Amino acid sequence: MQTITTALDEGQTHAADWAGDWLLAPPDPAHRVPCHVDPRDMRRLELHAVLTAAGIAPSPGDTEAIERLSALPDAVHATLRRWLGCCAQCGCAG
């Protein structure tokens, strides 16, 4: 790891304001933990993200509907994401 030494910024009054701060080295891809996400789980996460981006916050009662939609094939799910993405852009969902 490396520490960065720079001049004080206008807002800093002491070197102690940034003492102990350093940049982390980028992660080594070889040390990543192998992980496989089930496609159904990935579709469920993507659906939550697209709904939220469209301004539609899923309520607790929507869990069953989201689970059933996540079980649909990738092509159907891609269409749902496209439709909801359009809603997020034009604002018709909110």
Side-chain angles (χ1 to χ4, degrees):
M1 294 201 187
Q2 299 176 348
T3 58
I4 296 178
T5 56
T6 60
L8 293 175
D9 290 335
E10 289 179 20
Q12 292 178 320
T13 57
H14 305 95
D17 290 343
W18 50 270
D21 245 356
W22 64 88
L23 293 177
L24 296 175
D28 182 0
H31 292 122
R32 289 187 180 170
V33 177
C35 176
H36 174 73
V37 178
D38 184 55
R40 185 174 179 162
D41 290 335
M42 186 59 74
R43 290 190 297 264
R44 180 178 45 79
L45 293 170
E46 289 173 351
L47 188 55
H48 272 282
V50 171
L51 285 167
T52 302
I56 306 166
S59 63
D62 297 338
T63 305
E64 183 180 348
I66 290 172
E67 286 298 323
R68 289 186 182 215
L69 288 170
S70 298
L72 295 173
D74 283 337
V76 174
H77 193 68
T79 302
L80 285 171
R81 290 193 321 262
R82 181 172 44 83
W83 288 345
L84 289 168
C86 289
C87 289
Q89 291 175 0
C90 74
C92 66

